[in-house]
Amino acid sequence: MMQGPEATAAHWWPSWHHHRDDPPPPPPNGSKSVNFLLRLSALILALASAMVMAASSDCTPSSGVAAFTYTRFGAFVLLVGCNITVTILEAAAIYLQLSLDLAAAAAPPDDDKTVATDLEEEEKGIGPAGIVLVVVDLLVPALLYSAMAATYAVAAVFSDQIGACPNFARKVVQAKILSLAACAAITLAAVARAVPLPFNVPPVL
């Protein structure tokens, strides 16, 4: 049995050796956090655009034009329908992504490697949740871009008719801007997901 300095050295050697072999911590990557925040922004903006357009129904009495709603123009109906659909899809995508990340964070240490592998497969679209996320990532931009393009085209073609009702025209402009902002947010979310970012952003996912 060793005593004195030799025993102290023998006692500390395994601990030092263990820490030496520990892998370095992964570099910061804020891609998931930024992607999450941009998805949430797109959801809010799309829902706000649909609500504003659905509320655009007033014409001033002096305009000489009978009151009408957004349903008079098919592109505006498309905008409301697509933006509501985008809201539902993005809510589902955010829920799935949070579920995957929370499952990875709550896994026991012995299961970390297995959970990490499963999470990578889901993010690549291999598992059921991953397939849903891939489908959402394909559908959401298509819905937003098509509805926005149709809305801008109809607003330009029927600008005189729409402008005859100032309240209606103002709501249309607001809905267009919100829809454009939702398109920008979802585009940036796709970029953030594909490009590693050398920083962390709360929530760190």
Side-chain angles (χ1 to χ4, degrees), residues 44-58:
I44 295 171
L45 290 167
L47 180 60
S49 176
M51 293 176 64
V52 169
M53 182 63 81
S56 56
S57 58
D58 291 335

Side-chain angles (χ1 to χ4, degrees), residues 62 67 162:
S62 59
I162 294 172

Side-chain angles (χ1 to χ4, degrees), residues 51-141:
M51 293 176 64
V52 169
M53 182 63 81
S56 56
S57 58
D58 291 335
C59 285
T60 57
S62 59
S63 65
V65 179
F68 57 83
T69 68
Y70 72 96
T71 56
R72 185 169 184 173
F73 302 94
F76 297 167
V77 176
L78 178 66
L79 180 73
V80 173
C82 286
N83 283 353
I84 290 176
T85 304
V86 165
T87 300
I88 296 171
L89 291 175
E90 280 302 314
I94 290 172
Y95 171 78
L96 288 174
Q97 188 63 59
L98 286 176
S99 298
L100 292 174
D101 292 328
L102 291 175
D110 295 340
D111 295 339
D112 281 348
K113 187 176 294 185
T114 301
V115 173
T117 302
D118 293 342
L119 183 58
E120 290 177 1
E121 291 180 350
E122 293 288 356
E123 290 178 344
K124 293 177 181 178
I126 298 175
I131 293 174
V132 173
L133 290 173
V134 170
V135 172
V136 169
D137 287 340
L138 292 174
L139 283 179
V140 166

